[in-house]
Amino acid sequence: MLSGVVQGSGIGLMMFLIFIDELAKLLERHVVTAELFADDVKVYLIITTVADVAKLQGAITLINDWASGWQLQVSVNKSVECWSCPI
């Protein structure tokens, strides 16, 4: 295994927390709200200016770059939330 954490192992949870902590600390620097639960990451920001859009895009780019660096794949289908889209 070249990246990630072995699922179901006794130490897997602790290894994952150490592993994902790096991403949490990187996101803190981007001044966005980040919520992490298990292997899910949610980032959001109230958009009031064009600069806010750039901050949020920077955080999204950071997540993508971090995942690529660790040879992880972001699930794009699960990464879109649209409140005005039909279900």
Side-chain angles (χ1 to χ4, degrees), residues 13-80:
L13 179 58
M14 183 59 71
M15 290 175 62
F16 179 76
L17 291 174
I18 292 167
F19 183 74
I20 199 75
D21 187 59
E22 175 189 22
L23 179 60
K25 288 179 180 176
L26 290 171
L27 287 170
E28 283 179 5
R29 296 183 200 149
H30 276 266
V31 194
V32 296
T33 302
E35 295 179 358
L36 292 90
F37 180 77
D39 62 347
D40 292 330
V41 178
K42 181 177 186 177
V43 293
Y44 54 94
L45 178 70
I46 295 173
I47 305 293
T48 57
T49 67
V50 174
D52 293 335
V53 174
K55 285 180 193 176
L56 188 57
Q57 182 60 56
I60 293 168
T61 301
L62 177 116
I63 292 168
N64 187 62
D65 293 347
W66 179 87
S68 293
W70 285 106
Q71 300 176 8
L72 301 172
Q73 190 172 21
V74 175
S75 177
V76 177
N77 293 337
K78 291 174 33 178
S79 300
V80 177

